[in-house]
Amino acid sequence: MRDHVRQLSAGVAIYGAGDAAISVVNFLLLPAYIRFLTRDDYGALLILISIETFAKIINRWGLDGAFMRYFLDRDEGRPQQQLASTILLFMLGLDGALLFAALSFARPITAHLFADLRYLPALRLMLVNTFLVAFTFVPFHVMRLKQQARPYSALTFTRSAGTTILRLVFVMAAGLGVTGLYLADLIVTVVILLLLWRWFRPLVRPLFSVSELRQALRFGLPRLPHGLAQQAFDYGNRLLLTRYVPLAELGVYQNASTLGTGVKFFLSSFETAWAPFYYATARRPDAKAVLAKMTTYGAAVLVLLVAGTAAVAHDIVLVMLNAEYVRAVPIVPVVALALAFQGVYLLTSIGLNLSGHTEYYPLSTFAAAVVGLGSGFALMPHLGALGAAVALLLSFVTQAAVAFACSQHFYPMRYEVGRLVRVAAAGATACAAGLWLVPAWPPFVGFLTRGTLTVAVYVGVLAATGFFRETEIAFLREQWKVMSRRLARRTALGDAAD
């Protein structure tokens, strides 16, 4: 079991730490950005991000999943080249035609969505960047499949760091506003594509196979409606919100969502490492027991993140934003809880992949989309942005529940229900302690105090209820000793250098 924990933890650290670190930096830069972007700008950004999200899914046609599924099944050389080249040529032709059409109608689209043509350059830049970035999955998937962790991490970190730096330059120094954000994205994408040529070059040939395309689309296309429906109850809900609130209120929701995405920092790293891990583990005779235990650990992290976010929501809004955004306070924990259920979905729906019944993914996402959009229509006219957050939560709860039921049908697993109940109880207790036991101190002091207390109470309740097993305690002690020895060695080397 220790090996499994180390393997998954290493995967999370290697494949996601770079992006997560930059996400944290961008999060910390939020107070600086709000000096240069108005609430209307953030509202426009929310709409652009929503369109971009749908466009990214459409541009890949589910073929990124098909490439990962079939690449290692092909022999090196021409068979792999034929698969990759067929997919890339198909996307180049079809996505290129869609890009031309979208750019042709960009002006009336901008007038309709924003009633302000100053966001037209940003829309055009976003469309071009989305077209180009669609092709990057091929080299990045090759790195993951061939376990080339170092170049993968280096390139993803370079992409994220470059985007952050250029955004600072274009938004803060050049004063380009939302247009500057997407200009930075496009420049970085072009540079990354050039750097990725090393991985493109062995695979790209003038080859096209109708049979390869048919097989890839047969696997990938069912994931297209799944992906679109999944985004419909998140970003589609945001577009629906434009019917009921002004652009500035959309800006409040956008920044509230950003503050609630501390859970996302973990999920973005975890999701990248999780699929290779469970595919590899599935070959073992004790696969289900291992995966169930990993699910418990993942849920424990998610619950702690939600409890901490809910406890510090008021303080973090005042620290990171300002009093104009106080309406974001109740939205933040709801968004965090919604994203936690997205994590539950990732953890408990793997049976559909392992059993080969991926056609049931759209069932869960369409059910979630119906619940999310339906509840959005009912709640947003009365609750505004908070109604959008509650609708998002209901969507993710529905998706997780339906996918779990389907997964259990085809790949039944016995989860550690007792330990999961303890995790939920510890999270509720820790959140209550952070909210009620700390006085109304200044925001930054309150943030630190509530956060620390929440973590301490959470770990204490888990320990008191017998959550930790002897083997796990021994493992933690072992890791603590290893870290202590490394720290002592580095300190000794530093003293020697002085």
Side-chain angles (χ1 to χ4, degrees):
M1 184 56 62
R2 296 180 182 182
D3 292 338
H4 296 303
V5 174
R6 288 194 186 98
Q7 180 185 349
L8 183 56
S9 301
V12 171
I14 291 171
Y15 291 111
D19 274 344
I22 296 300
S23 297
V24 172
V25 171
N26 286 328
F27 179 84
L28 296 176
L29 286 172
L30 189 57
Y33 277 128
I34 64 171
R35 296 175 55 193
F36 297 89
L37 298 175
T38 65
R39 285 192 294 170
D40 281 355
D41 287 339
Y42 275 112
L45 184 60
L46 180 148
I47 295 173
L48 287 167
I49 291 174
S50 302
I51 298 172
E52 181 182 14
T53 302
F54 283 107
K56 283 181 177 178
I57 295 172
I58 293 172
N59 280 349
R60 294 191 175 185
W61 306 101
L63 294 173
D64 50 339
F67 181 80
M68 175 169 277
R69 168 64 180 83
Y70 294 120
F71 182 75
L72 292 182
D73 290 346
R74 305 292 185 267
D75 293 332
E76 291 188 5
R78 186 179 177 87
Q80 291 184 347
Q81 292 169 352
Q82 184 168 269
L83 173 66
S85 298
T86 297
I87 288 175
L88 290 173
L89 288 172
F90 172 80
M91 291 173 54
L92 183 64
L94 188 53
D95 293 349
L98 291 176
L99 174 64
F100 178 80
L103 291 175
S104 300
F105 291 96
R107 180 176 291 271
I109 291 172
T110 303
H112 174 72
L113 291 175
F114 308 106
D116 191 337
L117 289 178
R118 64 182 168 139
Y119 297 114
L120 175 59
L123 176 62
R124 286 172 171 165
L125 289 168
M126 181 271 289
L127 291 171
V128 175
N129 181 67
T130 304
F131 167 75
L132 292 176
V133 82
F135 298 94
T136 60
F137 76 81
V138 169
F140 280 125
H141 278 6
V142 170
M143 294 178 209
R144 290 172 62 189
L145 290 167
K146 294 187 175 182
Q147 298 183 351
Q148 297 174 345
R150 288 186 178 181
Y152 182 96
S153 299
L155 285 166
T156 54
F157 181 83
T158 299
R159 179 176 61 185
S160 300
T163 301
T164 300
I165 293 170
L166 287 180
R167 283 184 169 187
L168 289 173
V169 171
F170 292 142
V171 174
M172 298 184 184
L176 296 179
V178 177
T179 299
L181 296 176
Y182 283 102
L183 179 59
D185 289 356
L186 180 57
I187 291 174
V188 171
T189 297
V190 172
V191 172
I192 290 297
L193 282 171
L194 293 174
L195 294 175
L196 289 172
W197 178 244
R198 171 185 166 188
W199 287 269
F200 275 118
R201 185 172 55 193
L203 295 174
V204 177
R205 297 289 187 276
L207 298 172
F208 189 87
S209 168
V210 174
S211 61
E212 284 280 23
L213 179 62
R214 187 182 297 114
Q215 183 180 36
L217 289 174
R218 189 181 300 116
F219 181 91
L221 279 182
R223 301 179 69 88
L224 180 61
H226 159 71
L228 291 174
Q230 185 169 9
Q231 300 308 323
F233 58 76
D234 185 356
Y235 292 97
N237 232 3
R238 300 183 185 198
L239 292 174
L240 177 62
L241 185 59
T242 62
R243 297 183 53 183
Y244 304 107
V245 301
L247 206 58
E249 185 71 5
L250 286 175
V252 172
Y253 183 76
Q254 170 65 20
N255 279 333
S257 298
T258 300
L259 295 180
T261 54
V263 178
K264 197 73 173 180
F265 298 154
F266 168 71
L267 281 182
S268 61
S269 302
F270 179 83
E271 184 175 4
T272 308
W274 181 230
F277 174 82
Y278 68 69
Y279 276 128
T281 303
R283 300 187 182 100
R284 298 173 53 91
D286 60 344
K288 292 185 177 181
V290 172
L291 293 172
K293 192 175 292 292
M294 294 302 108
T295 299
T296 300
Y297 297 154
V301 175
L302 291 171
V303 169
L304 174 59
L305 291 172
V306 173
T309 301
V312 305
H314 186 271
D315 297 317
I316 199 67
V317 167
L318 296 180
V319 169
M320 301 300 294
L321 304 174
N322 53 47
E324 291 183 4
Y325 287 90
V326 71
R327 287 172 57 85
V329 172
I331 300 172
V332 172
V334 178
V335 170
L337 184 58
L339 292 174
F341 274 99
Q342 182 187 20
V344 171
Y345 162 76
L346 292 174
L347 287 166
T348 60
S349 65
I350 58 175
L352 295 179
N353 278 331
L354 296 177
S355 64
H357 290 280
T358 56
E359 69 274 13
Y360 284 84
Y361 274 115
L363 178 63
S364 65
T365 46
F366 275 111
V370 170
V371 170
L373 295 176
S375 58
F377 275 111
L379 296 173
M380 289 181 199
H382 308 288
L383 299 178
L386 179 59
V390 174
L392 177 67
L393 172 60
L394 295 175
S395 298
F396 278 121
V397 170
T398 303
Q399 183 190 35
V402 175
F404 171 77
C406 294
S407 180
Q408 285 292 91
H409 178 74
F410 294 107
Y411 192 84
M413 291 174 54
R414 294 185 61 182
Y415 291 97
E416 300 178 321
V417 177
R419 300 182 83 197
L420 291 171
V421 170
R422 294 172 202 168
V423 165
T429 305
C431 180
L435 286 172
W436 297 334
L437 298 183
V438 178
W441 285 336
F444 187 72
V445 177
F447 167 72
L448 293 178
T449 307
R450 292 180 206 277
T452 303
L453 179 62
T454 301
V455 173
V457 171
Y458 182 73
V459 175
V461 172
L462 288 181
T465 56
F467 174 83
F468 298 106
R469 294 171 177 169
E470 288 298 327
T471 53
E472 295 166 349
I473 295 174
F475 174 72
L476 292 174
R477 287 174 178 168
E478 177 187 332
Q479 295 305 304
W480 176 258
K481 289 179 181 178
V482 171
M483 292 172 59
S484 299
R485 285 196 296 269
R486 289 177 179 173
L487 180 61
R489 190 180 304 115
R490 290 177 183 174
T491 303
L493 290 174
D495 293 342
D498 292 340

